[in-house]
Amino acid sequence: MPSHSRNHVVNKNTVSKSTVSKSTVSKSKGPFSCLVFSLMALPSTTLAAGESAQDASAVASSVMVVTGQRESEVAPGSYRAEASSLANKQSVEFLEQARTINVVTRQVMHDFNLDDLEESLQPVAGIQLGNTLGGTEDGFVKRGFGSNSDGSMLIDGIRQPRRTYTTATVDRVEVLKGPSSLFQGQQNPGGVINMVTKRPQYETHTEISGEVSSFGGGNTTLDTTGPIEDTGLAYRFILSHEDEDSWREYGNDRRTTIAPSLRWEGEHSSAQISYEYQDYELDIDRGTVFYNGSAANVTRGTRFDESWNRVYGHDESVNAWWKQEVTDNWDMKLTYGWTRRQYSDARANVTNVSDSGDVTVRAEENQGYERSEHYTALDAMGDVEIAGQRHQLVIGADYETTRDYLDERYFGDSVTVSTVTDVNHGQLAQVTSDDINTSRSNRLDESQAIGVYVSDRWYLSDKWILGLGGRYTWFDQQSGQGEDFVSDPDYSDDLFLPSANLLYRIDDASSAYLSYSESFVPNGSDSDSGESLDPELGKGYEIGYKRQWNPRLATSVALYQIRKENVAVTDNGTTRTIGEAGSQGLEFSLEGALTDRTSLLFSYAYTDTEVLEDTEGTEGNRLPNAALNAASLYLAHDLAIDPSYGEWRVGGGVRYVGEREGDDDNSFSMGAYTVADAFVGWRHDFFGPDTEFKLNAKNLFDTAYYYGSGGDTRVLVGDPMEITLSASVGW
């Protein structure tokens, strides 16, 4: 695969240099201490000496019983999830979920070659891309609300810092719509996105896969798993490397992921620990500019920045949990997560487009960014009978700390050598050491939160289920910046967040429900200005209906209303809060299998957003990046062909996204678009028992469109048609 030479001068060594040298900054714990902590949670019986092969066999056989609940949430090869634990911390079957939960399964991601989180959420209507900081931080708008800093990204239920995500280690993606602070803590009311990772398995399997793209470059992955003999342990090791060219004027992304994990299953306890490391060097592409309400009159591939726009660094994380069966009816679970992102970047940012169409670009640089999260939770989960009625209880507490630190900020020269019709590169030099902005360097944002929560799914009868829950949270925020570290006023508070729902089982195949939930999230500070923002508070109401037509096909419909105070919106690098905003809408989904050979995934969302109160005079405006109408349809079919010729699978998808406003002033809009995808796959034992070749076409009709905005100087341009060819061999 081709690789491009580095064409920037940012010093890579600053990523590893200590960013905690200032006395005002507390030190971060490293991964070694996290690993030790996690391993201490493993029961000592894991390493008991003299364990016989007979005992190991018993452990292996018990695995199918102990882990079956989680792994059976999605049947192999299915387009739908039969259950989810995201909303309740206990696995709840589809018809008893009193919330909207969308799941993009591994089969969907595989069929349509959805290589990253951005692509994986395309089948979920009601989610659009927002400000992504040039493709370096995933940011999604859910039911009208969301940003790249809203804390809504989870991996195995644990919050992650701002970054981009690939699907090399992901088994499926879950989306819980609406306010979700009961268990997820600090969250945006639009919902949360949870990436469920691939687990170690007790059946040995190895797969090597590779892909090439018409854009140039591709990726390769090794995924191997199996038992460790005579230990009761299972391992998984994933190694992935991407080296992909941009279809625009210039740009290249390189990323390497290493992800080992261990799992242990006993008769009454189980545990898992996983580590992931990513090293990357990515293109920063903030798209095009809009002028007088329309896109600049240049080709889709034209960029207004410079070829040295890059971000480089590494991410690492440790997730661990231990689950103990205390009695026949009660389990205890200890969960720990640590994640850290360290990176630096160099950027040529468009700062202004004049009335005459002249484009001004400024050189900027961030050196020594560090974002980290620590999370610990202890839960008691029971399924008990009280006064003759069944109760599914969760009682728990969690502690979370977040830390964002920027060592040095640079602002260099500005040039105005391009217009909205004619772009000139190479006239802007990168920053020098003299360009450091001492008042915006040494920036620190820290927060701590402690929460206690209780949830009860109370089976009033065989028809009615009442859900009651509440979370009490204490939180504290500190921030400051500057060479002399000028502190902002600390902000601390405590609040109670209730949750309630009522579900009625109409019959064995359908149910109806209504729910109420609240959310809270500190807004932190603006990533460009460092200004502290007031926290956001959200309330949501939802009424819904679910039907399972047969064991393979299901429908859900939901009506909702959300109100949110202190909504953070970003225009051209400046973030502020508006007083109050609302969102209301309708969502519909049909997912599963139409026949033994045909799978389907359909969704539609109507999302009506409005600014209800704002001191800047934007009342009545729509929220940016939220489409009024959006829909998607994905189909796959296994051809009835003589098996001696192999297994052939074909499919296609189409998604529609309506017009969206580009900023909170509604000064310009991005037009509606429709994009189609298709694939054909062939499986045969040509090179082994599990060999596959697959051809994918994305944006089959080469539609031109704009799919996200951070303001009129940074509008994301949709990819043109891309053809990928992938191959995999498993044994």
Side-chain angles (χ1 to χ4, degrees):
M1 291 174 289
S3 61
H4 288 182
S5 61
R6 293 164 42 143
N7 50 11
H8 57 85
V9 298
V10 183
N11 181 9
K12 267 192 156 179
N13 293 328
T14 57
V15 172
S16 59
K17 99 174 180 182
S18 172
T19 60
V20 294
S21 58
K22 308 279 194 297
S23 60
T24 53
V25 182
S26 59
K27 293 185 178 181
S28 297
K29 295 180 180 178
F32 180 76
S33 61
C34 302
L35 280 164
V36 172
F37 178 93
S38 303
L39 287 169
M40 288 174 63
L42 295 174
S44 60
T45 53
T46 304
L47 303 176
E51 183 182 39
S52 67
Q54 213 171 14
D55 294 331
S57 177
V59 170
S61 64
S62 70
V63 168
M64 301 307 294
V65 177
V66 176
T67 67
Q69 177 175 319
R70 179 184 185 274
E71 295 183 346
S72 65
E73 289 182 351
V74 180
S78 176
Y79 268 31
R80 67 173 292 262
E82 299 170 359
S84 174
S85 56
L86 181 58
N88 301 91
K89 287 209 170 188
Q90 295 171 305
S91 188
V92 178
E93 65 175 276
F94 170 74
L95 289 176
E96 293 190 356
Q97 297 168 1
R99 296 287 297 274
T100 296
I101 301 176
N102 299 118
V103 179
V104 182
T105 68
R106 187 64 197 169
Q107 188 65 49
V108 176
M109 292 190 288
H110 174 77
D111 283 347
F112 292 94
N113 194 28
L114 309 179
D115 285 337
D116 54 38
L117 183 60
E118 176 188 321
E119 291 185 339
S120 296
L121 291 173
Q122 290 172 352
V124 183
I127 295 183
Q128 280 88 48
L129 208 62
N131 179 23
T132 67
L133 289 181
T136 64
E137 295 182 2
D138 284 339
F140 299 96
V141 175
K142 306 162 291 291
R143 288 186 170 177
F145 300 105
S147 69
N148 55 24
S149 60
D150 64 9
S152 65
M153 305 298 178
L154 313 175
I155 291 181
D156 293 331
I158 299 174
R159 192 183 339 273
Q160 303 297 304
R162 298 154 59 170
R163 62 185 179 96
T164 59
Y165 302 88
T166 70
T167 57
T169 62
V170 175
D171 179 73
R172 62 185 181 274
V173 179
E174 304 174 312
V175 181
L176 172 61
K177 302 283 189 66
S180 309
S181 284
L182 176 60
F183 295 125
Q184 277 74 38
Q186 304 171 17
Q187 290 296 344
N188 190 284
V192 296
I193 298 166
N194 184 43
M195 289 156 276
V196 181
T197 58
K198 300 173 182 178
R199 296 184 67 184
Q201 301 296 312
Y202 283 85
E203 293 184 6
T204 301
H205 186 263
T206 298
E207 181 178 272
I208 298 176
S209 60
E211 174 190 310
V212 292
S213 167
S214 59
F215 292 162
N219 61 71
T220 57
T221 300
L222 166 68
D223 184 353
T224 182
T225 186
I228 301 177
E229 189 175 357
D230 297 331
T231 64
L233 292 167
Y235 72 90
R236 191 156 198 158
F237 180 79
I238 299 173
L239 173 63
S240 176
H241 179 70
E242 305 170 26
D243 189 342
E244 301 179 350
D245 296 334
S246 171
W247 61 272
R248 303 256 280 164
E249 275 188 277
Y250 42 80
N252 172 267
D253 290 342
R254 291 196 293 274
R255 180 180 354 228
T256 300
T257 302
I258 303 173
S261 57
L262 283 175
R263 167 184 169 193
W264 179 83
E265 297 286 349
E267 185 177 356
H268 299 292
S269 55
S270 57
Q272 180 172 308
I273 183 168
S274 59
Y275 173 76
E276 182 174 319
Y277 177 87
Q278 284 191 8
D279 183 84
Y280 54 85
E281 186 173 347
L282 307 176
D283 183 34
I284 301 177
D285 182 359
R286 289 196 155 177
T288 191
V289 302
F290 269 53
Y291 171 70
N292 289 336
S294 300
N297 186 23
V298 293
T299 66
R300 279 188 286 177
T302 299
R303 296 179 58 160
F304 286 86
D305 52 22
E306 295 290 343
S307 60
W308 41 263
N309 264 38
R310 305 290 285 171
V311 59
Y312 57 84
H314 56 263
D315 306 335
E316 53 184 332
S317 63
V318 175
N319 288 354
W321 56 262
W322 168 49
K323 188 173 182 181
Q324 179 68 46
E325 181 183 319
V326 180
T327 69
D328 290 341
N329 299 318
W330 283 95
D331 294 333
M332 297 288 292
K333 186 175 183 180
L334 175 66
T335 304
Y336 176 76
W338 169 86
T339 183
R340 179 175 64 186
R341 181 187 182 200
Q342 294 178 302
Y343 68 99
S344 297
D345 64 44
R347 299 177 288 171
N349 282 338
V350 176
T351 58
N352 183 61
V353 180
S354 70
D355 292 340
S356 59
D358 295 323
V359 178
T360 300
V361 182
R362 180 175 64 186
E364 301 179 14
E365 197 166 297
N366 295 305
Q367 288 284 343
Y369 247 127
E370 181 178 301
R371 305 184 189 275
S372 62
E373 303 254 358
H374 286 263
Y375 173 84
T376 306
L378 180 63
D379 297 300
M381 297 172 286
D383 195 331
V384 299
E385 187 173 296
I386 302 175
Q389 292 182 319
R390 181 186 177 193
H391 293 257
Q392 284 187 320
L393 296 167
V394 177
I395 303 170
D398 57 26
Y399 174 69
E400 182 177 14
T401 64
T402 64
R403 180 179 181 276
D404 280 9
Y405 178 70
L406 172 59
D407 190 17
E408 296 174 345
R409 187 96 192 253
Y410 295 83
F411 292 99
D413 295 333
S414 296
V415 297
T416 306
V417 295
S418 299
T419 69
V420 293
T421 59
D422 182 30
V423 179
N424 294 291
H425 296 297
Q427 305 300 310
L428 180 64
Q430 289 187 248
V431 301
T432 68
S433 58
D434 295 332
D435 295 322
I436 188 170
N437 187 305
T438 56
S439 65
R440 300 275 286 276
S441 297
N442 190 31
R443 195 179 83 208
L444 175 68
D445 297 288
E446 288 186 314
S447 68
Q448 303 84 36
I450 300 175
V452 293
Y453 44 84
V454 178
S455 173
D456 181 8
R457 297 183 69 247
W458 181 358
Y459 288 74
L460 301 174
S461 68
D462 59 351
K463 293 286 189 180
W464 292 94
I465 304 174
L466 175 64
L468 297 172
R471 177 187 186 91
Y472 199 85
T473 292
W474 298 263
F475 70 93
D476 183 70
Q477 285 181 275
Q478 309 90 35
S479 62
Q481 63 181 336
E483 188 174 31
D484 298 326
F485 199 77
V486 179
S487 297
D488 297 323
D490 289 357
Y491 184 85
S492 61
D493 203 351
D494 58 274
L495 68 164
F496 177 73
L497 301 167
S499 174
N501 57 73
L502 182 64
L503 183 140
Y504 177 66
R505 287 295 296 263
I506 300 171
D507 51 38
D508 290 341
S510 59
S511 62
Y513 66 90
L514 56 89
S515 70
Y516 170 81
S517 56
E518 294 188 4
S519 67
F520 147 81
V521 60
N523 267 325
S525 63
D526 173 33
S527 60
D528 282 331
S529 69
E531 179 184 356
S532 296
L533 304 173
D534 291 332
E536 299 177 343
L537 302 173
K539 298 179 180 180
Y541 304 84
E542 182 172 319
I543 181 170
Y545 170 80
K546 298 177 186 284
R547 181 170 181 82
Q548 190 165 312
W549 301 99
N550 56 54
R552 301 174 305 184
L553 186 66
T555 293
S556 63
V557 184
L559 291 166
Y560 68 88
Q561 182 184 75
I562 298 174
R563 291 293 182 267
K564 180 179 175 182
E565 299 176 359
N566 298 325
V567 185
V569 293
T570 302
D571 287 338
N572 301 329
T574 301
T575 303
R576 66 181 183 86
T577 58
I578 59 179
E580 184 179 358
S583 171
Q584 56 193 12
L586 164 71
E587 293 175 344
F588 173 83
S589 68
L590 175 65
E591 51 196 30
L594 295 175
T595 69
D596 290 339
R597 294 182 174 276
T598 304
S599 299
L600 169 144
L601 184 62
F602 172 77
S603 65
Y604 167 77
Y606 172 83
T607 309
D608 184 17
T609 65
E610 183 180 3
V611 177
L612 302 174
E613 183 180 326
D614 184 20
T615 57
E616 299 292 327
T618 64
E619 292 91 343
N621 286 0
R622 289 182 52 80
L623 295 177
N625 293 302
L628 187 65
N629 291 283
S632 65
L633 172 64
Y634 291 81
L635 288 165
H637 181 72
D638 295 314
L639 300 180
I641 293 177
D642 186 338
S644 63
Y645 295 105
E647 300 174 5
W648 289 84
R649 184 174 175 87
V650 298
V654 60
R655 63 185 187 277
Y656 167 82
V657 177
E659 185 179 73
R660 291 133 295 136
E661 298 299 331
D663 57 18
D664 58 306
D665 288 329
N666 291 186
S667 64
F668 72 99
S669 60
M670 297 170 287
Y673 65 88
T674 302
V675 173
D677 304 323
F679 77 89
V680 56
W682 177 61
R683 281 187 176 272
H684 199 276
D685 58 0
F686 191 73
F687 292 108
D690 191 9
T691 301
E692 182 187 39
F693 294 92
K694 188 157 60 71
L695 186 69
N696 284 80
K698 300 179 181 179
N699 194 0
L700 187 61
F701 302 111
D702 199 29
T703 301
Y705 64 99
Y706 304 98
Y707 64 98
S709 170
D712 59 7
T713 63
R714 48 195 73 180
V715 181
L716 301 177
V717 184
D719 292 352
M721 182 176 66
E722 179 188 15
I723 305 296
T724 62
L725 176 63
S726 59
S728 63
V729 178
W731 62 91

